[in-house]
């Protein structure tokens, strides 16, 4: 009898090309996403060594980090951003890589467009020069972020040199309480295991709560896996996955579809498969989450208060907490729901999908953005934007006083014009609250789209459950 | 890539935990299309004031550490974004070795692609090196990759672990794209098999 294997083991074993030594393997990469920020030096490397792209058709490129979210007909004003996008366009043309131009309706954040196009598929290996590649694990694809040297390696060889990861299982059981979303599960997990809790591991999410999540929710959860330090997140493919993928432009068609689904059904972990680490959460215990500090693990239920460094024994951790609070301009023991915000950002590859916009619109509907608050809604792709407009969500946001923008990364990392001013406080649906992430001196509180919309209409961090 | 054999230099203490790659090199410097020139922006927001002047308290601004070649840091160094600009900035500044109790995976990996040696050590060893590093220019440290040891200013010696493949690449200064391309036929064979098994890809 063969040993029971995990989903990760199955994907890993089916991608081994060669063994370098006991720990180091050459693995095959099925899918490669490319964006403008982490690729120029990789293409330059290819050019300098006279190398070609091995499988241009296994690659998909898009500009997302630098693009403006306002009118694009005039091109990109910032010269450096424009150069990066122009370089990408030149590189994809020279190397024959499929590309969605900035003005194409399919343009959007790499991690939104991959699934949307059916480029992301179960059982594949998938990489991108971007840590949130973990998002695609929602489809049961082993997807992880790589550095630029590795981007070059994949372009040239369609392989990567990797060490096997350890298996970790995060099991979430039960019905998610009202007002809680996949984002709250993700933040609650990071709060529990810490930002290094998953280091060296691939996390497989299992349990009834996960099975009940939509693909959008699973993507949000897998997206945040990197913030728990893990290399990748995985959810076993099931009917929800297949339904989402069916009929997408790059999904298999006809007989190939049947063949693919039959294969995908063999992927879930075998009963009795062993994990190196296991964590269990009870969904019923989850309360809407917000971060208070400058690391995603600095997270608490919205019903809590800003922590007090005086309660921390370990000196390095106490100093780190003090530093975070100073940066965030927060006083220990302040109720989180008393913290006022000036900005709201709804978007990013974590929460820029249609379901996220629907959740935020539901809260915004018939309400007004609080005086003194500036709130942005940035759809994750042109297609998400289009769909939202079909559903009339744009009008709900605009009537409530939100700004309705073009697709891109936007204020998730503030490489374009959308950024916080020093000391401005933002309720954000993105994934990182690091110092300066949304603009130098800017203060980020991470939360779900519904919670961000609630903060927009009240002007302070708010328990969305109080608004219904 | 530069070969890494031995490295002798000043070690700078950075007793911060969870130093993320946004902190090592903030996004406004990611607009470059080159690998070089990022050293001047290393640790930008904790090293410089908004007007561009130096923050005198930051370790790399202190006279003793301006030429540091080694960084001793708190746990989970390099977490967050996958940007290889982080190791490029360290390298451009002149830091080719980082010592910590733990590193984030992608950053750890990226270091080796650029001739930077990240060393993982138990807490007590990092504490000792951190203490040594506090002594500034008087505390020159030698990293011997072949022997996998760190020799401190007082003749102390700390051994470290490293997987043999990565050690080999660093010692020889090898580029792994070239090495992998030599395996072209193994990749061809794999692709043929995979096309038969999963033709829809
Ligand atoms: S939305 Fe944010 S996290 Fe996602 S790819 Fe863009 S910058 Fe990275």
């Amino acid at each position: 009898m063969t040993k029971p294997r995990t989903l990760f083991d199955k994907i890993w074993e089916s991608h081994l090309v060669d063994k370098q030594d006991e720990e180091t393997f050459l693995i095959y990469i099925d899918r490669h996403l490319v964006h403008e920020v982490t690729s120029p030096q990789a293409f330059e490397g290819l050019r300098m060594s006279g190398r070609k792209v091995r499988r241009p058709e296994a690659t998909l490129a898009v500009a997302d980090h630098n693009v403006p979210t306002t009118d694009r007909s005039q091109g990109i004003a910032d010269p450096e951003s424009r150069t990066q996008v122009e370089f990408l366009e030149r590189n994809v043309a020279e190397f024959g890589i499929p590309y969605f131009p900035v003005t194409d309706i399919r343009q959007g954040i790499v991690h939104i467009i991959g699934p949307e196009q059916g480029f992301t598929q179960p059982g594949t290996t998938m990489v991108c020069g971007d840590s949130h590649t973990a998002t695609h694990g929602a489809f049961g694809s082993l997807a992880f972020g790589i550095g630029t040297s590795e981007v070059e390696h994949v372009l040239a060889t369609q392989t990567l040199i990797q060490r096997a990861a350890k298996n970790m299982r995060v099991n979430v059981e039960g019905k998610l309480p009202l007002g809680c979303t996949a984002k709250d599960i993700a933040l609650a997990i990071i709060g529990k295991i810490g930002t290094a809790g998953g280091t060296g591991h691939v996390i497989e999410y299992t349990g009834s709560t996960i099975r009940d999540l939509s693909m959008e929710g699973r993507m949000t959860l897998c997206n945040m896996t990197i913030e728990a330090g893990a290399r990748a997140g995985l959810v076993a493919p099931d009917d929800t996955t297949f339904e989402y993928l069916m009929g997408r432009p790059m999904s298999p068609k006809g007989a190939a579809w049947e063949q693919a689904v039959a294969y995908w059904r063999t992927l879930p972990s075998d009963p009795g498969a062993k994990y190196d680490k296991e964590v269990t959460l009870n969904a019923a215990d989850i309360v809407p989450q917000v971060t208070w500090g400058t690391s995603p693990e600095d997270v608490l239920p919205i019903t809590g208060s800003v922590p007090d460094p005086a309660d921390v024994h370990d000196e390095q951790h106490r100093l780190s907490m003090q530093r975070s609070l100073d940066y965030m301009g927060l006083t220990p023991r302040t109720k989180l729901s008393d913290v006022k915000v000036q900005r709201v950002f709804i978007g990013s590859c974590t929460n820029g999908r249609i379901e996220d916009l629907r959740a935020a619109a539901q809260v915004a509907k018939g309400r007004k953005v609080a005086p003194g608050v500036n709130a942005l809604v940035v759809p994750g792709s042109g297609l998400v934007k289009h769909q939202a407009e079909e559903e009339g969500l744009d009008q709900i946001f605009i009537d409530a006083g939100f700004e309705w923008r073009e697709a891109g990364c936007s204020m998730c990392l503030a490489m374009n014009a959308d950024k916080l001013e020093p000391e401005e406080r933002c309720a954000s649906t993105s994934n990182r609250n690091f110092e300066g992430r949304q603009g130098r001196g800017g203060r980020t509180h991470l939360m779900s789209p519904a919670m961000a919309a609630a903060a927009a209409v009240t002007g302070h961090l708010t328990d969305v459950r109080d608004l219904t | 890539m530069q070969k890494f054999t031995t490295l002798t230099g000043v070690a700078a203490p950075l007793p911060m935990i969870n130093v993320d790659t946004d902190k090592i090199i903030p996004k406004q410097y990611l607009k470059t299309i080159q690998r070089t020139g990022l050293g001047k922006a290393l640790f930008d927001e904790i090293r410089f004031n908004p007007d561009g002047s130096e923050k005198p308290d930051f370790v790399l601004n202190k006279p003793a550490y301006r030429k540091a070649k080694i960084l001793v840091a708190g746990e989970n160094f390099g977490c967050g974004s996958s940007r290889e600009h982080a190791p490029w900035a360290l390298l451009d500044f002149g830091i080719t070795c980082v010592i910590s109790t733990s590193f984030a995976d992608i950053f750890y990996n990226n270091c080796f692609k650029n001739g930077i040696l990240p060393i993982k050590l138990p807490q007590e060893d990092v504490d000792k090196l951190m203490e040594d590093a506090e002594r500034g220019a008087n505390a020159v440290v030698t990293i011997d990759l072949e022997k996998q040891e760190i020799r401190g200013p007082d003749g102390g010696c700390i051994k470290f672990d490293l997987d043999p493949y990565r050690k080999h690449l660093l010692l020889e200064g090898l580029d792994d794209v070239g090495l992998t391309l030599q395996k072209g036929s193994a990749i061809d064979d794999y692709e043929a098999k995979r096309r038969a098994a999963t033709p829809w890809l």
Side-chain angles (χ1 to χ4, degrees):
Chain A
M1 218 183 75
T2 52
K3 190 167 134 265
R5 295 183 300 163
T6 62
L7 170 57
F8 167 75
D9 297 337
K10 293 181 193 186
I11 304 175
W12 177 257
E13 287 165 18
S14 66
H15 286 82
L16 295 178
V17 174
D18 194 34
K19 190 170 167 178
Q20 322 269 65
D21 61 33
E22 283 318 304
E23 291 162 28
T24 322
F25 300 87
L26 191 66
I27 67 161
Y28 193 74
I29 301 301
D30 297 308
R31 294 282 187 258
H32 186 190
L33 288 161
V34 170
H35 67 74
E36 79 279 19
V37 178
T38 54
S39 67
Q41 295 86 352
F43 284 110
E44 189 57 24
L46 289 182
R47 212 174 279 124
M48 276 162 46
S49 46
R51 289 167 181 154
K52 293 204 302 280
V53 175
R54 186 177 170 99
R55 275 188 71 195
E57 77 284 4
T59 315
L60 179 61
V62 73
D64 56 1
H65 284 60
N66 268 307
V67 300
T69 56
T70 45
D71 181 21
R72 287 175 181 169
S73 55
Q74 305 307 313
I76 302 176
D78 177 74
E80 285 180 299
S81 294
R82 190 173 59 235
T83 305
Q84 245 181 8
V85 175
E86 284 170 0
F87 257 75
L88 180 66
E89 293 182 342
R90 208 180 308 163
N91 287 329
V92 295
E94 179 180 338
F95 291 95
I97 291 170
Y99 171 67
F100 294 161
V102 176
T103 48
D104 192 304
I105 191 171
R106 297 168 299 173
Q107 181 271 344
I109 305 169
V110 274
H111 309 310
I112 305 258
I113 67 165
E116 202 168 69
Q117 294 298 321
F119 186 69
T120 306
Q121 293 175 18
T124 56
T125 47
M126 189 156 186
V127 294
C128 174
D130 193 286
S131 54
H132 291 97
T133 311
T135 313
H136 309 269
F139 291 79
S141 161
L142 178 60
F144 49 94
I146 55 178
T148 298
S149 298
E150 291 175 312
V151 170
E152 184 179 337
H153 194 278
V154 175
L155 288 171
T157 69
Q158 208 58 43
T159 64
L160 260 187
I161 298 166
Q162 286 285 302
R163 276 139 211 86
K166 293 200 191 97
N167 281 290
M168 174 164 174
R169 173 156 77 164
V170 175
N171 192 46
V172 193
E173 294 288 351
K175 202 170 140 40
L176 207 51
L178 205 71
C180 287
T181 65
K183 182 67 164 282
D184 301 294
I185 304 178
L187 288 170
I189 292 168
I190 297 163
K192 183 167 169 135
I193 69 174
T195 50
T199 305
H201 292 76
V202 165
I203 296 180
E204 181 179 346
Y205 297 99
T206 63
S208 60
T209 321
I210 309 300
R211 280 197 303 279
D212 286 347
L213 288 176
S214 64
M215 286 318 293
E216 282 88 350
R218 294 178 189 182
M219 284 188 256
T220 301
L221 183 61
C222 287
N223 172 281
M224 293 293 288
T225 307
I226 184 74
E227 308 314 330
R231 284 200 211 161
L234 284 171
V235 175
D238 60 10
D239 288 335
T240 306
T241 322
F242 310 148
E243 229 164 82
Y244 179 98
L245 283 175
M246 195 153 90
R248 303 247 161 205
M250 299 183 188
S251 293
K253 310 257 163 0
W257 170 260
E258 299 303 326
Q259 198 186 353
V261 171
Y263 170 66
W264 295 343
R265 288 196 194 282
T266 68
L267 291 170
S269 296
D270 300 328
K274 289 267 173 300
Y275 295 84
D276 301 285
K277 214 167 166 181
E278 301 212 32
V279 175
T280 296
L281 255 81
N282 189 350
D285 297 340
I286 298 175
V287 171
Q289 306 274 309
V290 289
T291 61
W292 51 265
T294 54
S295 163
E297 70 189 15
D298 299 341
V299 66
L300 282 170
I302 179 66
T303 48
S305 302
V306 176
D308 192 339
D311 301 338
V312 180
H313 297 299
D314 175 71
E315 195 194 337
Q316 238 183 32
H317 285 90
R318 185 174 59 249
L319 289 176
S320 147
M321 180 183 280
Q322 188 58 55
R323 192 190 150 82
S324 288
L325 294 182
D326 291 347
Y327 180 86
M328 293 296 290
L330 292 173
T331 313
R333 305 197 188 279
T334 310
K335 282 182 67 185
L336 286 169
S337 55
D338 286 342
V339 175
K340 290 200 165 45
V341 302
Q342 293 82 47
R343 304 288 293 272
V344 174
F345 171 63
I346 296 172
S348 86
C349 59
T350 312
N351 282 128
R353 283 169 285 267
I354 189 69
E355 193 175 86
D356 302 313
L357 302 190
R358 286 183 195 137
Q362 208 185 347
V363 174
K365 189 166 188 170
R367 295 194 168 95
K368 288 275 181 227
V369 170
V373 174
N374 165 272
L376 283 190
V377 185
V378 185
S381 72
L383 288 167
V384 169
K385 178 169 188 262
H386 178 74
Q387 189 177 346
E389 288 170 353
E390 296 273 285
E391 296 178 16
L393 305 183
D394 58 329
Q395 209 48 54
I396 295 177
F397 286 120
I398 292 166
D399 289 346
F402 289 78
E403 292 181 30
W404 180 247
R405 296 292 188 90
E406 301 289 334
C409 293
S410 179
M411 214 159 71
C412 174
L413 93 165
M415 268 186 87
N416 68 356
D418 310 333
K419 49 172 77 92
L420 298 181
E421 296 300 321
E423 304 197 354
E424 258 188 336
R425 191 180 297 287
C426 180
S428 179
T429 66
S430 55
N431 41 54
R432 287 189 176 138
N433 50 351
F434 298 156
E435 287 182 23
R437 172 81 179 180
Q438 294 192 292
R440 188 173 179 128
R443 296 164 171 168
T444 304
H445 295 270
L446 303 176
M447 63 197 74
S448 74
M451 287 282 287
V457 299
T458 62
H460 52 85
L461 302 181
T462 299
D463 190 337
V464 64
R465 297 170 302 179
D466 296 342
L467 283 189
T468 42
Chain B
M1 201 169 82
Q2 277 301 92
K3 288 186 185 179
F4 191 116
T5 48
T6 61
L7 172 70
T8 299
V10 169
L14 188 70
M16 260 186 213
I17 59 170
N18 297 329
V19 173
D20 55 76
T21 54
D22 279 71
K23 197 173 267 159
I24 300 172
I25 184 92
K27 71 244 155 195
Q28 59 270 34
Y29 300 100
L30 307 188
K31 295 189 182 183
T32 176
I33 47 169
Q34 297 172 322
R35 289 169 202 251
T36 50
L38 291 167
K40 60 180 191 317
L42 177 71
F43 292 119
D44 186 63
E45 290 175 18
I46 49 176
R47 187 169 148 213
F48 300 107
N49 292 308
D51 65 6
S53 61
E54 289 184 358
K55 295 185 175 177
D57 289 346
F58 183 66
V59 60
L60 298 180
N61 290 332
K62 296 182 186 166
Y65 299 105
R66 299 185 85 93
K67 293 212 158 54
K69 295 184 178 167
I70 299 157
L71 198 64
V72 186
E75 69 190 36
N76 199 27
F77 189 86
C79 60
S81 156
S82 62
R83 59 190 68 165
E84 200 161 319
H85 308 68
W88 293 338
L90 287 165
L91 188 67
D92 196 61
F93 182 89
I95 290 173
T96 48
C97 175
V98 185
I99 301 173
S100 175
T101 49
S102 61
F103 294 89
D105 288 328
I106 302 178
F107 175 82
Y108 186 76
N109 226 0
N110 281 341
C111 282
F112 292 97
K113 315 281 177 191
N114 294 284
I116 297 176
L117 173 64
I119 301 180
K120 272 186 249 184
L121 289 175
Q123 189 73 54
E124 59 272 22
D125 289 339
V126 174
D127 291 346
K128 168 79 175 73
L129 289 166
M130 194 74 81
E131 233 170 73
D132 285 348
E134 301 286 354
R135 289 157 46 190
N138 301 327
V140 169
V141 174
T142 295
I143 316 283
D144 186 331
L145 177 56
E146 180 56 54
K147 295 203 178 111
Q148 294 181 226
E149 61 187 36
I150 305 170
R151 293 190 287 272
D154 307 322
C157 172
I158 295 169
K159 287 276 185 192
F160 61 88
D161 283 334
L162 189 63
D163 84 68
Y165 179 74
R166 283 172 163 143
K167 178 176 174 181
H168 170 72
L169 288 182
L170 277 184
L171 281 172
E172 301 298 329
L174 287 174
D175 146 30
D176 45 27
V177 178
L179 287 179
T180 301
L181 283 172
Q182 293 170 2
K183 301 197 167 143
S185 66
I187 305 174
D188 291 341
D189 292 350
Y190 178 88
E191 278 182 344
K193 252 185 4 207
R194 185 117 180 109
R195 248 194 315 276
T198 56
W200 61 88
L201 288 173

